[in-house]
Amino acid sequence: MALIVQKFGGTSVGSVERIQAVAQRVSHTVRAGHQVAVVVSAMGKTTDGLVKLANELSDSPSRREMDMLLSTGEQVSIALLTMALHSLGQEAISLTGAQVGIMTEADHSRARILNIRTERLQRHLTDGKVVVVAGFQGVSPSTDFEITTLGRGGSDTSAVALAAALGADKCEIYTDVPGILTTDPRLVPAAQLMPSITCDEMLELASLGAKVLHPRAVEIARNYGVPLVVRSSWTDEPGTQVIAPARQPKSLDDLELAHPVDAVEFDLDQAKVALLRIPDRPGVAAQLFGEIAQQSLNVDLIIQSIHDGNTNDIAFTVMRQNLAKAEAVAEAIAPVLRGNPADSTEAEILVDQRVAKVSIVGAGMIGRPGVAAKMFSTLAAAGVNIQMISTSEVKVSCTVVRDECDRAIDALCQAFQVTCSPLDATPEPPMLEAAPDVRGAALDLQQAQVAIRQVPDQPGMAARIFALLAEAGVSVDMIIQSQRCRLVNGHTTRDIAFTVAQAEAAQARAVVESAAAALDCGDVVVNDAIAKVSVVGLGMINTPGVAARMFAALAQRQINIHMIATSEIKISCLVAEADGVEALKAVHDAFHLEGVEKVVVPA
């Protein structure tokens, strides 16, 4: 007998008929010999209706009263579903988040789960009852027992957290799509179902806008080894398995607030090649990395900084033993990239073989603006200057001078209270099939680019800027530090650019403009007419040519790349907002992610 947690979203319980269908599915699972806990969302558009009512009464309703209001939506669903189960002869009981023991921070509208007291739930399961739990909500452990809600995706988070607390055999997320798709089928009709995906890949895709699973839910699954399945509420198809690392004994205290960083990794076998002042036009990155791919050279980090006039800088890292070949490719391609082949100031090549990469790793970084800032400030306090920065949902990497690597590792391990390991020492979770180079593609049209010109090139500058953003609660996505140094009043400077959600762009600009004045930086430039297109795949590790294929696909459609940032399993490019959907289609086609069966997704 297995213990299974099943979660049904608002669409799945949007009518009496649909609630009855859910009850039939739950009852069938029980008849198969399993214990079942069910987490449900509010019916259909109930939450939207409640928000509308609140806004009709107040321009700025208090977050506490909004939690009181919105938590009622799930209570309707759990009571009705329990009644439907009773009508089928199935013993069941409905419980609110507070009754089931979901203890949270006292942070209304966006609380994180601290712990789950499962005694009552376990007792009902042992008695043979289905326990129907209100998702999206909990209660603070203070003497006042404040009702709280978990924010967007809260029912997913509730379900996976319950599965972790119960030690469930699996957590099934039922939704109105057949599983996790290679991209948004509303934008690319040829998108196809993925049979399986790792938690790390899913974290990247979820953070890039794939709305089937919320990143917080995937984070808990990864941290606690919860097997996840995403399935359709309307069919018996197997859906998509989200493969978590093997379950390890871990305290449930501070369930969502535990250490955001699991480990510090390092790689001493790195060398950097940079091309400065290359023309800012479609196809340049494709030419460069196409030649590199032809030489079967595997590239690690790729950084393209913000344009300066009509030129860009591109830097990348390779294994040190491949530096000579990579430099030869850069030397051969540089004249082709120049407007005037004889002008050596264009596409100037810089090589550095004294490079090491240090990284912090952990799924707990999601939604925590201060993690990257803490890494940068720790390195600054240790006197370590950052050369390149690469960010993802599960890792922040910096290249530093190799001689400073030991000092950087020691400082980071102390700051985050973790151990360190070589970069390739972390085992990957087992996959059900060979991992493709690219598993999925995503488009984010809700980002803005913020650039700070002429930041003094000294330890601590990036730390101070991103610490101020973190204090303001601004979450930063891509971070790029230019490779080109400029002398300003006798001091070397670099440009720093980053992306944020469009909704936070004005706040980010205000923070950065204040910091720029205090830190003697140059102008601040904001561009909110951008889009981020990304590809994600565990198989791109140690597979030469993946980046080249992506860049070539964009170049073939005359789409210019504004910025590039990569991690081991993700490549992201900023393009003009008007080119976003076409860019997504281009990369989806380039990696043959399309299929023959059209997936229909409800509006």
Side-chain angles (χ1 to χ4, degrees), residues 253-527:
D253 290 335
D254 291 337
L255 192 145
E256 281 199 277
L257 297 179
H259 290 305
V261 174
D262 297 330
V264 173
E265 296 178 348
F266 66 93
D267 185 354
L268 298 173
D269 191 23
Q270 294 257 310
K272 180 178 72 175
V273 179
L275 285 86
L276 310 184
R277 295 178 296 276
I278 59 176
D280 181 33
R281 63 169 187 258
V284 169
Q287 284 180 283
L288 171 60
F289 291 99
E291 290 294 327
I292 290 171
Q294 286 189 8
Q295 299 299 319
S296 298
L297 286 174
N298 197 34
V299 175
D300 186 359
L301 302 182
I302 302 174
I303 300 294
Q304 178 178 303
S305 54
I306 54 174
H307 64 81
D308 180 25
N310 295 318
T311 65
N312 271 322
D313 302 339
I314 293 182
F316 60 93
T317 62
V318 295
M319 293 176 63
R320 205 164 10 144
Q321 67 192 50
N322 294 329
L323 175 60
K325 188 182 288 188
E327 184 179 7
V329 171
E331 293 281 4
I333 197 70
V336 179
L337 300 179
R338 294 169 183 153
N340 177 2
D343 185 359
S344 60
T345 62
E346 289 187 6
E348 178 187 359
I349 298 169
L350 295 181
V351 173
D352 187 354
Q353 57 181 331
R354 299 175 299 106
V355 173
K357 181 171 72 172
V358 292
S359 308
I360 55 173
V361 184
M365 300 183 204
I366 296 170
R368 293 168 173 81
V371 175
K374 183 175 181 179
M375 179 185 192
F376 303 154
S377 61
T378 298
L379 294 176
V384 177
N385 202 22
I386 299 169
Q387 298 180 347
M388 296 171 68
I389 300 169
S390 170
T391 58
S392 77
E393 288 306 308
V394 295
K395 183 176 290 190
V396 180
S397 299
C398 298
T399 60
V400 300
V401 175
R402 185 181 295 120
D403 291 345
E404 298 177 348
C405 185
D406 286 345
R407 191 160 75 247
I409 291 168
D410 289 343
L412 291 172
C413 286
Q414 289 183 32
F416 291 104
Q417 299 180 339
V418 294
T419 57
C420 75
S421 62
L423 194 60
D424 58 355
T426 304
E428 297 293 342
M431 292 300 299
L432 298 185
E433 83 282 346
D437 295 346
V438 169
R439 197 173 294 278
L443 175 68
D444 188 346
L445 293 169
Q446 303 299 318
Q447 290 217 328
Q449 179 193 63
V450 182
I452 318 164
R453 302 287 189 181
Q454 299 171 4
V455 179
D457 183 31
Q458 59 192 51
M461 298 306 290
R464 294 173 69 179
I465 291 168
F466 290 105
L468 290 170
L469 289 164
E471 288 171 11
V474 176
S475 292
V476 175
D477 185 10
M478 297 170 68
I479 302 174
I480 303 292
Q481 180 171 273
S482 70
Q483 296 304 295
R484 196 187 320 178
C485 288
R486 295 178 182 80
L487 278 176
V488 177
N489 299 325
H491 300 286
T492 57
T493 67
R494 296 181 189 267
D495 297 339
I496 293 179
F498 58 92
T499 60
V500 296
Q502 281 181 358
E504 296 184 333
Q507 185 181 11
R509 179 175 200 149
V511 170
V512 169
E513 284 181 340
S514 176
L519 301 177
D520 198 25
C521 304
D523 295 337
V524 175
V525 181
V526 177
N527 178 10

Side-chain angles (χ1 to χ4, degrees), residues 28 39 60 62 103 107 113 152 165 240 248 262 334 375 382 391 426 451 481 487 524 532 534 536 542 557:
H28 176 77
V39 176
S60 56
S62 79
M103 314 305 292
D107 190 4
I113 297 173
R152 191 173 70 84
T240 303
Q248 301 291 335
D262 297 330
M375 179 185 192
T391 58
T426 304
Q481 180 171 273
L487 278 176
V524 175
K532 182 175 71 172
S534 306
V536 173
N542 298 322
R557 304 201 190 192

Side-chain angles (χ1 to χ4, degrees), residues 167-189:
D169 294 278
K170 65 178 172 178
C171 179
E172 298 176 338
I173 306 292
Y174 287 91
T175 182
D176 53 4
V177 294
I180 300 164
L181 306 177
T182 51
T183 196
D184 187 342
R186 287 163 290 204
L187 300 177
V188 184

Side-chain angles (χ1 to χ4, degrees), residues 6 8 17-31 81 84-85 87-88:
Q6 296 181 331
F8 294 89
E17 294 76 19
R18 290 184 174 184
I19 290 172
Q20 289 171 330
V22 168
Q24 290 282 1
R25 187 182 288 273
V26 173
S27 179
H28 176 77
T29 306
V30 176
R31 290 197 304 272
L81 178 56
L85 287 164
S87 71
L88 296 175

